[in-house]
Amino acid sequence: MAVAGEPGPGRGEAPFSPSVLGTREHWDAAYERELQTFQDIGDAGEIWFGEESMVRLIRWMEKRKIPLDSSVLDIGTGNGVLLVELVWMRRCQFQRGIWHGKESKQLTDKQAKSGYTNLTGIDYSPSAILLSEQVKEKEGMSNIKFQVEDFLAPSAELSGFQICIDKGTFDAISLNPENAVGKRKQYVRSLCSVLKPEGFFLITSCNWTKEELLNEFREGFEVLEELPTPKFCFGGRIGNSVTALVFQRKKVGPCILDKLD
């Protein structure tokens, strides 16, 4: 949980304890199970941080009037439901229940076309991409591209995005048992390489506070907005169950990558 004022690894304190949640093996196994479940009963699986996290992002994009043909990259797409929702979305509305096959077919072709049209989802787990492809096929969509990619070593074609979205991937990288600090730095390098100057980066985290994320992305990015998330009170202190921030990449040259070494 993110509690304002508590020290954390973003301030140079002790790093997160290593966890299997930071390993590729864990996510391969998890998405193999979700893929089998989807094939058996048509359930696409967990929506990371819940449906409200998708609502939060979509409302921000609507408020900013992000053009529907903007190039969007979902970093660590998992089952791909966020991108499917960005296609199915109706302006200023959010249709609940889609991911369990109850309501998606009630949407008209006109409503389907009201969403975003240039979407890419990447994940380093082949099982996740296979699952997302099957979800996309079930929903009858053709304008989402899914591909197996390790964001810490992105291919040359992964570039020029206007919007990058992360819901939990940076969290998982931070828990990697092998050189998590170095991997976090590489994540920022990769983000600089795939996101256009002045492009937007939307991140949702359950491990990092606002102040810590500002520190992690201080080179090359400036924060634009903190999105409202559920709050809790414990021991007289107020905190957030998750942190959601919008960054904008600064209009600078490639030299920013050198500062991250």
Side-chain angles (χ1 to χ4, degrees):
M1 302 298 181
V3 179
E6 286 191 354
R11 297 191 182 96
E13 304 291 336
F16 292 117
S17 298
S19 169
V20 294
L21 294 173
T23 66
R24 184 177 304 205
E25 292 77 14
H26 169 82
W27 295 109
D28 280 338
Y31 284 114
E32 285 173 9
R33 291 191 299 270
E34 291 200 3
L35 176 61
Q36 187 61 54
T37 299
F38 181 76
Q39 293 172 342
D40 290 343
I41 64 174
D43 188 336
E46 182 179 4
I47 297 175
W48 207 242
F49 298 125
E51 290 186 358
E52 65 273 13
S53 67
M54 296 196 296
V55 176
R56 188 183 304 122
L57 299 176
I58 289 169
R59 284 176 176 168
W60 182 86
M61 293 171 74
E62 291 178 336
K63 184 180 72 173
R64 292 285 302 202
K65 294 181 170 54
I66 302 297
L68 294 178
D69 60 353
S70 298
S71 54
V72 178
L73 176 66
D74 187 15
I75 303 168
T77 195
N79 53 20
V81 296
L82 171 60
L83 296 185
V84 174
E85 176 56 26
L86 284 172
V87 175
W88 279 117
M89 61 170 285
R90 288 185 283 184
R91 304 302 282 177
C92 303
Q93 296 187 39
F94 180 77
Q95 183 81 15
R96 298 178 66 87
I98 288 175
W99 311 121
H100 302 283
K102 298 177 181 178
E103 301 181 24
S104 61
K105 300 309 178 185
Q106 297 177 12
L107 297 175
T108 67
D109 290 341
K110 183 178 180 181
Q111 290 167 341
K113 292 176 181 177
S114 69
Y116 287 84
T117 61
N118 186 4
L119 306 171
T120 300
I122 62 169
D123 205 292
Y124 66 8
S125 170
S127 295
I129 295 303
L130 184 56
L131 171 61
S132 61
E133 287 282 5
Q134 292 190 13
V135 171
K136 179 181 78 169
E137 182 179 357
K138 180 182 178 182
E139 298 296 331
M141 297 174 178
S142 59
N143 53 349
I144 306 175
K145 179 181 180 181
F146 291 113
Q147 60 195 62
V148 178
E149 285 266 3
D150 182 352
F151 189 65
L152 300 185
S155 62
E157 67 180 76
L158 206 69
S159 63
F161 289 93
Q162 294 161 291
I163 305 279
C164 286
I165 300 174
D166 181 319
K167 292 199 304 100
T169 298
F170 188 70
D171 284 354
I173 288 172
S174 303
L175 299 174
N176 194 289
E178 299 180 4
N179 190 21
V181 173
K183 285 179 168 61
R184 295 195 327 250
K185 291 181 179 180
Q186 181 55 49
Y187 181 102
V188 180
R189 291 190 189 94
S190 297
L191 187 60
C192 284
S193 70
V194 304
L195 184 62
K196 284 184 174 181
E198 300 186 294
F200 300 110
F201 172 52
L202 288 71
I203 182 170
T204 304
S205 168
C206 63
N207 287 347
W208 298 83
T209 66
K210 174 184 177 180
E211 291 75 17
E212 291 166 350
L213 288 173
L214 292 177
N215 182 63
E216 289 293 305
F217 294 94
R218 65 189 182 278
E219 297 291 352
F221 299 88
E222 58 184 359
V223 68
L224 290 185
E225 189 174 348
E226 180 177 14
L227 304 183
T229 59
K231 295 183 181 296
F232 66 91
C233 183
F234 181 78
R237 305 183 68 185
I238 297 176
N240 298 79
S241 55
V242 295
T243 301
L245 299 179
V246 179
F247 287 91
Q248 186 171 30
R249 187 184 164 193
K250 295 177 182 177
K251 193 175 182 180
V252 293
C255 62
I256 190 65
L257 301 178
D258 300 333
K259 297 182 179 180
L260 299 170
D261 293 329

